[in-house]
Amino acid sequence: MKVVADLCIVPMGVGPSVSSYVREIKAILETSGLNAEMHANGTNIEGELADICRLIEMCEARLTELGVQRVFFTMAFSSRRDKAQTMADKLTAVS
């Protein structure tokens, strides 16, 4: 199932700045082969739902390797059955 996901991953208990962890997640996103666009409070990702879920598991595993003991995730998914639609298409539709 093709979806557009909005993902926010927040490492907990690591201090006020999480930028070093976000850089680690960004590196995983960039090598995933999925279309991912970071924004101020998370990342939009488009692809197959199963691929996105595997990507999220990879991100969580990396944070575990880095010693993060607690992670807060928020995820929202949208899909269309009547036509194919990319993130860019959605933005164009409201421009």
Side-chain angles (χ1 to χ4, degrees), residues 19-53:
S19 59
S20 64
Y21 300 99
V22 171
R23 280 192 293 278
E24 294 286 334
I25 298 304
K26 183 179 180 201
I28 294 169
L29 295 172
E30 289 172 346
T31 61
S32 72
L34 297 174
N35 184 16
E37 297 180 12
M38 294 185 89
H39 54 81
N41 292 313
T43 303
N44 289 326
I45 309 165
E46 62 185 16
E48 293 295 321
L49 178 59
D51 294 336
I52 293 171
C53 289

Side-chain angles (χ1 to χ4, degrees), residues 50-61:
D51 294 336
I52 293 171
C53 289
R54 275 191 292 277
L55 177 64
I56 293 166
E57 287 179 355
M58 290 172 58
C59 293
E60 197 281 333

Side-chain angles (χ1 to χ4, degrees), residues 1-2 17 29 66 74 77 87:
M1 170 189 346
K2 178 100 175 189
S17 176
L29 295 172
L66 294 171
T74 57
F77 301 98
M87 293 184 294

